[in-house]
Amino acid sequence: NIAIDGQRLTFSSIHIAGRSNFKIYNCSFRNYTDGGVWFTGRNDNNEAAPATFATGNQFYNNRMVHCASYVHDFGGGNLGYFGLAQLNFGGQTGMLVHNNYFDQQTDYTWKGDGGKGVGWCIKYASGGYTKGCKIYNNTFLKIPYQGTYGGDGGWDFAIEIFRSQGMEIYNNTSQGSFDFNHDWDVDPAYSYNLWIHDNTISQPALSNFSESGIIFEVEARNVIVERNTIYNVNWGVILSVLGTSTGFKNFVIRNNLMYNLGKHGGNGG
Protein backbone atom coordinates (compact mmCIF):
# COMPACT_ATOMS: atom_id res chain seq x y z
CA ASN A 1 0.00 0.00 0.00
CA ILE A 2 2.86 2.37 -0.85
CA ALA A 3 2.90 4.93 -3.68
CA ILE A 4 6.37 5.78 -4.98
CA ASP A 5 7.07 8.61 -7.45
CA GLY A 6 10.47 8.97 -9.13
CA GLN A 7 9.58 12.54 -10.20
CA ARG A 8 11.28 11.94 -13.56
CA LEU A 9 14.63 12.21 -11.74
CA THR A 10 15.30 8.72 -10.36
CA PHE A 11 16.73 5.74 -12.30
CA SER A 12 14.57 3.03 -10.68
CA SER A 13 12.59 2.32 -7.53
CA ILE A 14 13.34 -1.13 -6.03
CA HIS A 15 16.03 -3.72 -6.83
CA ILE A 16 15.85 -7.20 -5.25
CA ALA A 17 19.16 -8.96 -6.00
CA GLY A 18 19.91 -12.59 -5.15
CA ARG A 19 17.01 -12.86 -2.68
CA SER A 20 14.02 -15.21 -2.40
CA ASN A 21 10.51 -14.99 -0.94
CA PHE A 22 10.15 -11.27 -1.60
CA LYS A 23 6.67 -9.93 -2.43
CA ILE A 24 5.73 -6.52 -3.81
CA TYR A 25 1.97 -5.98 -3.92
CA ASN A 26 -0.74 -3.30 -3.71
CA CYS A 27 1.78 -0.56 -4.58
CA SER A 28 2.00 2.10 -7.27
CA PHE A 29 5.08 3.34 -9.13
CA ARG A 30 5.38 6.24 -11.57
CA ASN A 31 7.83 8.57 -13.31
CA TYR A 32 11.12 6.66 -13.22
CA THR A 33 13.70 7.57 -15.84
CA ASP A 34 14.90 4.10 -16.87
CA GLY A 35 13.56 0.89 -15.28
CA GLY A 36 11.05 0.67 -12.44
CA VAL A 37 11.42 -2.56 -10.40
CA TRP A 38 14.11 -5.29 -10.66
CA PHE A 39 14.18 -8.90 -9.45
CA THR A 40 17.53 -10.54 -10.24
CA GLY A 41 18.77 -13.93 -9.15
CA ARG A 42 22.31 -12.60 -9.15
CA ASN A 43 23.75 -9.81 -7.01
CA ASP A 44 26.53 -8.79 -9.41
CA ASN A 45 24.53 -7.65 -12.49
CA ASN A 46 26.27 -10.19 -14.77
CA GLU A 47 24.34 -11.45 -17.81
CA ALA A 48 24.44 -15.14 -16.86
CA ALA A 49 22.45 -17.78 -14.99
CA PRO A 50 22.89 -17.63 -11.22
CA ALA A 51 24.47 -20.55 -9.35
CA THR A 52 21.33 -20.57 -7.15
CA PHE A 53 18.04 -19.35 -8.60
CA ALA A 54 15.83 -17.05 -6.52
CA THR A 55 12.53 -18.69 -5.53
CA GLY A 56 9.15 -17.61 -4.19
CA ASN A 57 9.25 -14.02 -5.45
CA GLN A 58 6.00 -12.32 -6.45
CA PHE A 59 4.83 -9.05 -8.01
CA TYR A 60 1.06 -8.54 -7.96
CA ASN A 61 -1.81 -6.05 -7.67
CA ASN A 62 0.52 -3.17 -8.53
CA ARG A 63 0.13 -0.16 -10.81
CA MET A 64 3.07 1.11 -12.89
CA VAL A 65 2.89 4.28 -15.00
CA HIS A 66 5.76 5.78 -17.05
CA CYS A 67 8.65 3.86 -15.50
CA ALA A 68 10.82 2.70 -18.42
CA SER A 69 12.72 4.27 -21.30
CA TYR A 70 14.59 3.33 -24.45
CA VAL A 71 18.11 4.72 -24.02
CA HIS A 72 21.23 5.24 -26.09
CA ASP A 73 24.55 3.65 -25.04
CA PHE A 74 23.14 2.25 -21.82
CA GLY A 75 25.99 1.80 -19.34
CA GLY A 76 28.31 4.09 -21.29
CA GLY A 77 29.33 1.28 -23.65
CA ASN A 78 28.83 0.62 -27.32
CA LEU A 79 25.43 -1.05 -27.11
CA GLY A 80 23.55 1.43 -29.25
CA TYR A 81 19.89 1.69 -28.32
CA PHE A 82 18.67 -0.44 -25.43
CA GLY A 83 15.22 -0.81 -23.89
CA LEU A 84 14.50 -1.24 -20.19
CA ALA A 85 11.15 -2.09 -18.58
CA GLN A 86 8.79 -1.22 -15.80
CA LEU A 87 9.36 -4.71 -14.35
CA ASN A 88 12.69 -6.46 -15.09
CA PHE A 89 13.33 -9.99 -13.81
CA GLY A 90 15.68 -12.93 -14.31
CA GLY A 91 17.36 -15.81 -12.49
CA GLN A 92 14.01 -16.80 -10.95
CA THR A 93 12.25 -20.10 -10.30
CA GLY A 94 8.46 -19.99 -9.90
CA MET A 95 8.10 -16.21 -9.87
CA LEU A 96 4.47 -15.03 -10.17
CA VAL A 97 3.55 -11.76 -11.91
CA HIS A 98 -0.20 -11.19 -11.90
CA ASN A 99 -3.10 -8.73 -11.66
CA ASN A 100 -0.92 -5.69 -12.38
CA TYR A 101 -1.61 -2.59 -14.51
CA PHE A 102 1.31 -1.44 -16.70
CA ASP A 103 1.02 1.87 -18.58
CA GLN A 104 3.89 2.88 -20.89
CA GLN A 105 2.39 5.57 -23.10
CA THR A 106 4.56 8.64 -22.48
CA ASP A 107 7.05 9.63 -25.18
CA TYR A 108 9.98 10.32 -22.78
CA THR A 109 11.03 13.47 -24.67
CA TRP A 110 11.75 14.95 -21.21
CA LYS A 111 14.57 12.47 -20.54
CA GLY A 112 17.95 14.25 -20.56
CA ASP A 113 20.52 11.42 -20.84
CA GLY A 114 19.87 10.14 -24.35
CA GLY A 115 16.40 8.64 -24.01
CA LYS A 116 14.98 8.07 -27.50
CA GLY A 117 11.69 6.35 -26.83
CA VAL A 118 9.48 4.32 -24.55
CA GLY A 119 10.63 1.16 -22.77
CA TRP A 120 8.73 -2.07 -22.23
CA CYS A 121 6.25 -3.19 -19.58
CA ILE A 122 8.18 -6.40 -18.72
CA LYS A 123 11.71 -7.40 -19.72
CA TYR A 124 14.31 -9.98 -18.75
CA ALA A 125 17.14 -9.01 -16.41
CA SER A 126 20.62 -10.56 -16.07
CA GLY A 127 20.21 -12.42 -19.36
CA GLY A 128 16.85 -13.95 -18.46
CA TYR A 129 17.19 -17.54 -17.21
CA THR A 130 13.80 -18.27 -15.65
CA LYS A 131 12.16 -21.55 -14.68
CA GLY A 132 8.48 -22.21 -14.03
CA CYS A 133 7.46 -18.54 -13.90
CA LYS A 134 3.95 -17.29 -14.65
CA ILE A 135 2.68 -13.96 -16.04
CA TYR A 136 -1.12 -13.74 -15.90
CA ASN A 137 -4.19 -11.48 -15.50
CA ASN A 138 -2.21 -8.31 -16.28
CA THR A 139 -3.03 -5.27 -18.42
CA PHE A 140 -0.23 -3.93 -20.65
CA LEU A 141 -0.50 -0.56 -22.42
CA LYS A 142 2.54 0.18 -24.59
CA ILE A 143 2.41 3.29 -26.78
CA PRO A 144 1.78 2.36 -30.46
CA TYR A 145 5.07 2.02 -32.33
CA GLN A 146 6.29 5.13 -34.19
CA GLY A 147 9.77 4.08 -35.33
CA THR A 148 11.29 2.29 -38.30
CA TYR A 149 12.60 -1.26 -38.42
CA GLY A 150 16.00 -1.60 -36.75
CA GLY A 151 15.11 -0.05 -33.41
CA ASP A 152 14.74 3.58 -34.41
CA GLY A 153 12.49 4.99 -31.70
CA GLY A 154 12.13 1.71 -29.84
CA TRP A 155 10.18 -1.46 -30.64
CA ASP A 156 6.54 -2.43 -30.25
CA PHE A 157 7.23 -4.82 -27.35
CA ALA A 158 5.08 -4.89 -24.24
CA ILE A 159 7.02 -8.00 -23.08
CA GLU A 160 10.54 -9.17 -24.00
CA ILE A 161 11.68 -12.43 -22.38
CA PHE A 162 14.97 -14.38 -22.84
CA ARG A 163 15.91 -17.99 -21.94
CA SER A 164 12.74 -19.40 -20.40
CA GLN A 165 11.87 -22.91 -19.30
CA GLY A 166 8.36 -23.71 -18.12
CA MET A 167 7.14 -20.12 -18.64
CA GLU A 168 3.34 -19.74 -18.76
CA ILE A 169 1.78 -16.47 -19.98
CA TYR A 170 -2.01 -16.31 -19.96
CA ASN A 171 -5.17 -14.22 -19.53
CA ASN A 172 -3.36 -10.95 -20.21
CA THR A 173 -4.70 -8.00 -22.23
CA SER A 174 -1.96 -6.22 -24.15
CA GLN A 175 -1.57 -3.20 -26.38
CA GLY A 176 1.89 -4.24 -27.57
CA SER A 177 3.62 -7.43 -28.69
CA PHE A 178 5.17 -10.36 -26.81
CA ASP A 179 8.78 -11.06 -27.85
CA PHE A 180 10.82 -14.19 -26.96
CA ASN A 181 14.50 -15.07 -27.58
CA HIS A 182 16.87 -18.00 -26.94
CA ASP A 183 14.26 -20.36 -25.51
CA TRP A 184 16.16 -23.51 -26.50
CA ASP A 185 17.63 -25.18 -23.41
CA VAL A 186 15.38 -27.81 -21.84
CA ASP A 187 14.80 -28.65 -18.18
CA PRO A 188 13.13 -32.10 -17.85
CA ALA A 189 11.04 -30.74 -14.97
CA TYR A 190 8.90 -28.84 -17.53
CA SER A 191 6.99 -30.21 -20.52
CA TYR A 192 7.29 -26.89 -22.38
CA ASN A 193 9.60 -23.89 -22.51
CA LEU A 194 6.78 -21.46 -23.31
CA TRP A 195 3.02 -21.88 -23.05
CA ILE A 196 1.24 -18.74 -24.27
CA HIS A 197 -2.53 -18.99 -24.12
CA ASP A 198 -5.79 -17.08 -23.73
CA ASN A 199 -4.25 -13.62 -24.18
CA THR A 200 -5.65 -10.70 -26.16
CA ILE A 201 -2.99 -8.74 -28.08
CA SER A 202 -4.02 -5.79 -30.23
CA GLN A 203 -3.54 -2.17 -31.24
CA PRO A 204 -6.24 0.52 -31.39
CA ALA A 205 -6.06 0.53 -35.21
CA LEU A 206 -3.85 -0.62 -38.07
CA SER A 207 -0.73 1.53 -38.38
CA ASN A 208 1.78 2.72 -40.96
CA PHE A 209 4.46 1.19 -38.74
CA SER A 210 5.48 -2.39 -37.96
CA GLU A 211 3.54 -3.93 -35.10
CA SER A 212 3.21 -7.59 -34.17
CA GLY A 213 1.37 -10.04 -31.96
CA ILE A 214 3.77 -12.77 -30.77
CA ILE A 215 7.41 -12.88 -31.91
CA PHE A 216 9.94 -15.71 -31.56
CA GLU A 217 13.49 -14.69 -32.40
CA VAL A 218 16.75 -16.58 -32.90
CA GLU A 219 15.78 -19.99 -31.46
CA ALA A 220 13.04 -21.72 -29.50
CA ARG A 221 11.62 -25.18 -28.94
CA ASN A 222 8.86 -26.89 -26.98
CA VAL A 223 6.41 -23.99 -27.45
CA ILE A 224 2.60 -23.95 -27.31
CA VAL A 225 0.62 -20.95 -28.63
CA GLU A 226 -3.13 -21.45 -28.29
CA ARG A 227 -6.47 -19.69 -27.80
CA ASN A 228 -5.02 -16.20 -28.19
CA THR A 229 -6.87 -13.34 -29.90
CA ILE A 230 -4.67 -11.05 -32.04
CA TYR A 231 -5.90 -8.15 -34.19
CA ASN A 232 -5.01 -4.71 -35.66
CA VAL A 233 -1.31 -5.62 -36.15
CA ASN A 234 0.87 -6.46 -39.17
CA TRP A 235 1.72 -10.03 -38.22
CA GLY A 236 0.01 -12.45 -35.88
CA VAL A 237 2.83 -14.88 -34.99
CA ILE A 238 6.43 -14.53 -36.24
CA LEU A 239 9.27 -17.08 -36.19
CA SER A 240 12.43 -15.16 -37.10
CA VAL A 241 15.76 -16.93 -37.58
CA LEU A 242 18.61 -14.46 -36.99
CA GLY A 243 22.36 -14.89 -37.49
CA THR A 244 23.67 -18.31 -36.47
CA SER A 245 20.55 -19.34 -34.58
CA THR A 246 19.68 -22.97 -33.93
CA GLY A 247 16.16 -22.42 -35.27
CA PHE A 248 12.77 -23.68 -34.10
CA LYS A 249 11.54 -27.11 -33.04
CA ASN A 250 8.44 -28.69 -31.48
CA PHE A 251 6.04 -25.77 -32.03
CA VAL A 252 2.28 -26.06 -31.59
CA ILE A 253 0.21 -23.08 -32.83
CA ARG A 254 -3.50 -23.87 -32.63
CA ASN A 255 -6.99 -22.49 -32.01
CA ASN A 256 -5.97 -18.82 -32.15
CA LEU A 257 -8.18 -16.06 -33.56
CA MET A 258 -6.31 -13.50 -35.69
CA TYR A 259 -8.03 -10.84 -37.76
CA ASN A 260 -7.63 -7.40 -39.38
CA LEU A 261 -3.91 -7.96 -39.98
CA GLY A 262 -1.94 -5.60 -42.22
CA LYS A 263 -0.30 -2.22 -42.55
CA HIS A 264 -1.23 1.08 -44.20
CA GLY A 265 2.16 1.48 -45.89
CA GLY A 266 4.66 3.96 -44.53
CA ASN A 267 8.30 3.39 -43.56
CA GLY A 268 7.82 0.91 -40.73
CA GLY A 269 9.84 -1.92 -42.32
Side-chain angles (χ1 to χ4, degrees):
N1 298 310
I2 298 173
I4 310 176
D5 192 331
Q7 302 176 80
R8 298 186 173 184
L9 299 171
T10 310
F11 181 90
S12 64
S13 61
I14 300 175
H15 190 168
I16 297 96
R19 295 185 62 180
S20 296
N21 301 317
F22 202 113
K23 298 180 182 179
I24 299 176
Y25 60 96
N26 296 345
C27 294
S28 67
F29 305 86
R30 70 169 55 240
N31 294 333
Y32 285 89
T33 64
D34 290 83
V37 173
W38 302 72
F39 283 84
T40 55
R42 305 182 65 96
N43 59 11
D44 58 7
N45 293 323
N46 286 339
E47 298 280 309
T52 302
F53 281 62
T55 63
N57 290 326
Q58 298 187 41
F59 187 85
Y60 62 95
N61 292 350
N62 299 296
R63 181 181 180 89
M64 306 197 79
V65 179
H66 305 164
C67 293
S69 70
Y70 186 68
V71 300
H72 184 60
D73 284 338
F74 175 68
N78 233 348
L79 297 176
Y81 294 112
F82 189 83
L84 298 173
Q86 295 181 309
L87 174 64
N88 309 265
F89 71 93
Q92 307 287 317
T93 296
M95 183 169 174
L96 303 180
V97 178
H98 63 92
N99 296 95
N100 301 290
Y101 176 86
F102 297 89
D103 185 345
Q104 273 296 100
Q105 298 187 92
T106 183
D107 63 6
Y108 272 74
T109 54
W110 49 266
K111 192 168 183 293
D113 65 350
K116 298 297 181 182
V118 180
W120 321 162
C121 299
I122 292 179
K123 185 171 179 170
Y124 67 90
S126 299
Y129 302 101
T130 60
K131 297 174 181 285
C133 297
K134 297 180 186 292
I135 301 172
Y136 59 96
N137 295 350
N138 300 285
T139 296
F140 303 110
L141 294 174
K142 170 69 183 293
I143 191 172
Y145 183 47
Q146 297 296 310
T148 56
Y149 183 80
D152 174 20
W155 297 100
D156 67 324
F157 308 152
I159 297 176
E160 183 183 23
I161 299 290
F162 276 27
R163 301 180 180 91
S164 299
Q165 298 166 338
M167 170 75 77
E168 185 179 4
I169 301 177
Y170 62 98
N171 287 351
N172 300 287
T173 299
S174 180
Q175 178 180 294
S177 67
F178 296 174
D179 181 78
F180 305 94
N181 285 257
H182 299 293
D183 300 296
W184 186 261
D185 292 340
V186 173
D187 185 326
Y190 306 103
S191 60
Y192 52 84
N193 277 351
L194 293 165
W195 182 19
I196 305 161
H197 64 93
D198 298 289
N199 302 284
T200 297
I201 304 172
S202 67
Q203 292 290 344
L206 288 179
S207 170
N208 291 343
F209 300 91
S210 295
E211 295 174 322
S212 309
I214 302 173
I215 308 163
F216 300 95
E217 296 188 65
V218 185
E219 56 195 357
R221 62 176 163 175
N222 299 348
V223 174
I224 305 168
V225 179
E226 61 182 348
R227 300 190 304 273
N228 300 284
T229 300
I230 302 171
Y231 62 95
N232 285 353
V233 296
N234 299 145
W235 304 287
V237 179
I238 300 174
L239 279 66
S240 177
V241 177
L242 302 173
T244 58
S245 78
T246 306
F248 302 98
K249 184 177 180 180
N250 297 339
F251 260 72
V252 175
I253 302 173
R254 64 189 175 198
N255 298 330
N256 300 283
L257 174 62
M258 308 184 204
Y259 63 94
N260 205 35
L261 305 183
K263 189 173 70 168
H264 285 308
N267 64 348

